[in-house]
Amino acid sequence: MAPSDPHSLSDPAQGTISHIKLRLEPDFARRLVRVQGEYTLDRPVRGSLFLDARDLDIAGIEAGGMAVRWSLDREDPLLGQRLHLSDLQDVRCFTIDLKTSPGAAALQWIGPEQTAGGKHPFLYSQCQACSARTLFPCQDTPGVRFTYEAELVAPAPLMTVMAAECVGQAPQGDHTTYRFRMPQPIPSYLFAFAVGNLTFQAVGPRTGIYAEPEIVHQAAWEFAENEDKLRAAEALFGPYLWDRYDLLIMPPAFPYGGMENPRLTFLNSVYVQGDRGATWLIAHELAHAWTGNLVTNATWEDFWLNEGPTTYAETRIIEAVEGVETAELEIAGRAQSLLREIKRLGPGSPMTCLKLSLAGKDPEESYSLVAYFKGMLFFRALEQAAGRARFDGFLHDYIAAFRFRSIDSEQFLGFLEERLPDAARVAGARRWIYEPGLPRGAADVASSLMDDVLSVSEEYRHGRLPSDDRVSGWTHMQQGIFLETLLPRIQVADCAYFEKLFRLQGTRNGGLFSTFCELAVRSGYREVLPAYEAFFASVGRYMFHEPVFRALSGEAWSRPLARPLFERWRHRHHAHTVGAIERILAQAGL
Ligand code: BES
Ligand code: ZN
């Protein structure tokens, strides 16, 4: 049985949901979804069943045609409400009728003006980490898995997609009902759907793109190599068990770069950037099909078990499809970002441990790059200690042993110490997991492409601006890492120089632009603000905006501008991005 989850009010020991049959009818005018759910439990339950719920308007619950007694009997500002089904008499199936609320955290209702086509609205769900409970009552913990089938109704001409297999569609008058099934058991945070003006284009036998017609061709070019990445990932981790790997191109307001919804990664359209430069992001979301979606973190305290191995796998996939030099540049760049992140959090901070202690805390507030990049370096240290061939064997066995299960750090460590006891000891596995900061030397990564970046950075520090020729062969990744080495600030006049050198005005590379904005704000380069505002008005990926808002609220010249800028566009952003920026502004006393 899964360990108890500080972010769920349910009690899986009472019995677990094994299957849900859902009907979902979005009402775009009222911004709510009508939901009917038929639940099946893994065993007959007598007495009470606790489920997570939040902001739900429940009309009724029935079992075998009889009303079930229920109440919302516990409320918690962090966790929502506990839905208590009581006096159950060996119940295995029950139905719930409800409406979601316009403020449901899992839903973002996007107006036509924020889409590529500009004519139709777009609706999608994002459940990670704890928002599935705002769609339907469930055991909203990654420790419980269920299969599902669903009917999703869309008004014409919109199309619906789910992170599931589409098994039919039936047009009826002014709407169409799409039917889906998800035969592989998933945790609630991987439940996902979207409704919009979408079309499909295949890029390979198991890979394709759902996107608005205005951008589907561009996206198909950008991600034409997804099938190769899928094959590289299978070589690393074993067979792909989710049948298809498609992308859904999201409006830019999506608060992440990507979200690993099974069979259908949700990918921010800002990464349709015209340079095929988002290989790492696809590699990342794809790798989650194994680390995260097959082997799942038991609770959000073990979040690193999702993100660390995934980030490691990302670098291995890049190595396979783009070569070892590109992979090592990425690793070196990330090690550099991690050092900055640890410095920001404080080297002794518990937030720099892989295993987190989150009771009473919102997991959103504890997210940092640590789970990703420290987790990646940990796996690299294990690979180095074990040797690549043995470590690859371990990875295969690890996935095979725990697939479709949720595990915590202790189970991981137990398996590691059993299979690779020497590597666990040499790498210092327990230290990596339970102690803050980084082992000495852990961030030293040899990379010739990085060395080139560092030498130009060093020359600049000695007063030499790089010539166009010197950096003309650089990739966007090198440019971005270079700009990071200049943080926190440079001479304001040099900002304009680098802006021209790397052609940052009007760049389609959001990651590069965000790093430049952080540097520019810190350096007092006010001219960057209009372009940043335009970027903030459309692009929602919160990781792009957090560093810039930290800079805006930290520098005297920009401090008074930070809150008004945010207020002008907050209505366009997802609750997650709004929350992240609110925290930064509040911390700065704004
Ligand atoms: N699963 C995460 C996104 C996420 C994390 C959603 C926490 C909700 C809560 C996804 O796989 C991810 O990590 N995305 C990052 C990728 C990057 C850091 C490699 C992103 O969106 O940019
Ligand atoms: Zn991830």
Side-chain angles (χ1 to χ4, degrees), residues 24 26 33 107 123-125 135 152 161-163 191-195 266:
L24 305 159
V33 181
L107 298 173
L123 165 66
Y124 74 90
S125 67
L135 289 180
L152 181 49
V161 289
M162 288 194 86
F191 178 88
F193 70 88
V195 185
F266 285 20

Side-chain angles (χ1 to χ4, degrees), residues 300-357:
W300 302 114
E301 297 186 326
D302 303 294
F303 183 55
W304 79 272
L305 271 179
N306 273 17
E307 298 300 345
T310 296
T311 308
Y312 169 80
E314 178 191 324
T315 65
R316 293 288 306 273
I317 294 168
I318 292 185
E319 184 184 314
V321 298
E322 295 190 344
V324 68
E325 293 201 333
T326 306
E328 271 161 6
L329 173 69
E330 172 179 322
I331 297 164
R334 293 182 155 204
Q336 176 185 278
S337 311
L338 176 64
L339 291 176
R340 284 181 40 229
E341 185 82 332
I342 290 177
K343 204 162 145 198
R344 184 178 71 79
L345 296 167
S349 158
M351 280 181 70
T352 66
C353 299
L354 289 177
K355 174 89 180 189
L356 300 172
S357 218

Side-chain angles (χ1 to χ4, degrees), residues 128 258 260 284-285 288 291 303 306-307 310-311 314 372:
Q128 192 182 11
E260 67 271 26
H284 181 95
E285 304 310 337
H288 271 309
T291 44
F303 183 55
N306 273 17
E307 298 300 345
T310 296
T311 308
E314 178 191 324
Y372 293 81

Side-chain angles (χ1 to χ4, degrees), residues 21 23 72 109 154 175 320 566:
K21 191 172 167 188
R23 183 178 163 83
L72 290 162
W109 302 83
H175 62 271
F566 172 58

Side-chain angles (χ1 to χ4, degrees), residues 141-146 185-191 242 292-293 296 406:
T141 164
V144 171
R145 311 176 88 89
F146 57 90
I186 55 148
S188 55
Y189 79 91
L190 293 176
F191 178 88
W242 306 91
N293 299 4
T296 306
S406 306

Side-chain angles (χ1 to χ4, degrees), residues 71-150:
S71 59
L72 290 162
D73 72 345
R74 255 183 75 188
E75 243 191 285
D76 183 297
L78 206 62
L79 307 179
Q81 293 170 306
R82 183 167 79 178
L83 173 62
H84 183 164
L85 280 56
S86 48
D87 302 330
L88 299 174
Q89 305 294 326
D90 292 321
V91 164
R92 271 206 76 178
C93 296
F94 58 91
T95 60
I96 306 185
D97 263 338
L98 64 96
K99 288 203 246 334
T100 62
S101 85
L107 298 173
Q108 190 176 9
W109 302 83
I110 289 182
E113 72 287 356
Q114 284 183 265
T115 65
K119 290 199 193 73
H120 300 282
F122 192 101
L123 165 66
Y124 74 90
S125 67
Q126 162 64 41
C127 290
Q128 192 182 11
C130 299
S131 298
R133 66 194 69 176
T134 69
L135 289 180
F136 49 84
C138 57
Q139 291 162 322
D140 200 4
T141 164
V144 171
R145 311 176 88 89
F146 57 90
T147 55
Y148 71 84
E149 59 205 292

Side-chain angles (χ1 to χ4, degrees), residues 20-40:
I20 313 181
K21 191 172 167 188
L22 288 156
R23 183 178 163 83
L24 305 159
E25 277 178 76
D27 179 337
F28 280 86
R30 296 167 64 197
R31 297 206 157 181
L32 56 83
V33 181
R34 282 187 195 82
V35 182
Q36 290 172 307
E38 283 177 46
Y39 293 69
T40 306

